[in-house]
């Protein structure tokens, strides 16, 4: 793939600038005393433990299913955004949340907050997925405008084959990995820094529910 092809895949300066402004706005939003809902990301969760129910029930039926439906929810919103822009607020809100969370964690936990933020890897992946989603929407809408102005569907067809499909596959992979990490890492990571120290194996083999 040549440089021109990569330029159509990688989010350019305008998208990165918008993302940076959204990130800073989230930081300032939390600093102003109007924090968005964080869920479990800042320790706002109650974890209930029980005896280990069995490998399949715990790691596939419960934790695996939870990760799957997180992925389905996220990728659905992103695909709707790319093709219709109808979920623009939900997609952009995630970048704002990331900036707001940094301020919230640092102001609440200090250095520990930095460690919590750095370890919530799923959030960083989701932000990356949103950036690629912005690029995908830009590519898709641009190809439609070219097709309309040229009176031909060829620009749209070429763009879908050469750029958009690749971006959608990449975005899907990013959000799939993020969903797995959110369930199997981030909840435990936040818990051990905000509640009490337990091993990863104990947490995930005994967690029965997480209330937000």
């Amino acid at each position: 793939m040549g440089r021109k092809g990569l330029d159509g895949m990688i989010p350019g300066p305008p998208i990165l600038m918008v993302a940076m402004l959204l990130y800073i706005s989230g930081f300032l939003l939390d600093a102003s005393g109007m924090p968005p809902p964080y869920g479990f990301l800042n320790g706002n969760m109650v974890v209930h433990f029980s005896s280990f129910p069995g490998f399949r029930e715990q790691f596939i039926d419960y934790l695996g299913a939870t990760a799957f439906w997180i992925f389905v929810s996220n990728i659905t919103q992103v695909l709707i955004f790319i093709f219709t822009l109808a979920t623009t607020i939900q997609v952009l809100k995630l970048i704002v949340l990331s900036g707001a969370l940094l301020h919230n964690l640092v102001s609440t936990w200090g250095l520990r907050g930095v460690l919590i933020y750095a370890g919530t890897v799923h959030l960083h992946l989701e932000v990356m997925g949103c950036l690629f989603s912005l690029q995908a929407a830009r590519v898709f809408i641009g190809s439609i405008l070219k097709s309309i102005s040229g009176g031909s569907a060829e620009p749209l067809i070429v763009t879908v084959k050469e750029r958009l499909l690749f971006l959608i596959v990449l975005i899907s992979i990013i959000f799939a990995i993020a969903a797995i990490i959110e369930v199997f890492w981030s909840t435990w990571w936040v818990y051990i820094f905000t509640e009490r120290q337990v091993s990863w194996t104990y947490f995930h083999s005994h967690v029965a529910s997480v209330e937000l």
Side-chain angles (χ1 to χ4, degrees), residues 22-43:
L22 290 171
Y23 189 90
I24 294 173
S25 70
F27 191 94
L28 297 176
L29 183 68
D30 188 88
S32 68
M34 296 185 294
Y38 295 111
F40 75 91
L41 292 170
N42 64 343

Side-chain angles (χ1 to χ4, degrees), residues 103-119:
H103 178 272
N104 185 277
L105 290 174
V106 172
S107 61
T108 303
W109 301 97
L111 179 59
R112 187 188 303 183
V114 175
L115 294 175
I116 297 172
Y117 186 81

Side-chain angles (χ1 to χ4, degrees), residues 5-104:
L6 288 175
D7 288 342
M9 303 291 185
I10 301 174
I15 289 178
L16 296 178
M17 180 62 69
V18 169
M20 182 58 67
L21 291 175
L22 290 171
Y23 189 90
I24 294 173
S25 70
F27 191 94
L28 297 176
L29 183 68
D30 188 88
S32 68
M34 296 185 294
Y38 295 111
F40 75 91
L41 292 170
N42 64 343
N44 183 24
M45 60 178 174
V46 178
V47 178
H48 298 281
F49 295 100
S50 67
S51 60
F52 182 55
F55 182 87
R56 182 183 63 80
E57 293 87 346
Q58 184 71 355
F59 288 91
I60 297 178
D61 295 346
Y62 174 44
L63 297 174
T66 300
F68 174 76
W69 287 114
I70 289 174
F71 167 73
V72 169
S73 175
N74 287 341
I75 199 64
T76 298
Q77 288 189 358
V78 165
L79 290 176
I80 292 174
F81 166 72
I82 292 172
F83 293 110
T84 70
L85 301 182
T87 56
T88 299
I89 293 178
Q90 291 90 328
V91 172
L92 298 183
K93 187 189 297 183
L94 183 62
I95 303 175
V96 176
L97 172 67
S98 184
L101 179 65
L102 176 61
H103 178 272
N104 185 277

Side-chain angles (χ1 to χ4, degrees), residues 110-153:
L111 179 59
R112 187 188 303 183
V114 175
L115 294 175
I116 297 172
Y117 186 81
T120 52
V121 182
H122 81 279
L123 180 63
H124 312 318
L125 287 174
E126 288 176 352
V127 170
M128 182 190 303
C130 287
L131 292 179
F132 279 109
S133 300
L134 288 169
Q135 179 65 7
R138 180 184 181 186
V139 166
F140 179 67
I141 294 173
S143 66
I144 290 180
L145 295 177
K146 287 181 181 179
S147 293
I148 293 174
S149 63
S152 171

Side-chain angles (χ1 to χ4, degrees), residues 180-194:
I180 293 171
I181 292 177
E182 179 174 353
V183 172
F184 288 93
W185 172 266
S186 295
T187 48
W188 169 77
W189 184 259
V190 172
Y191 184 81
I192 63 172
F193 279 101
T194 60

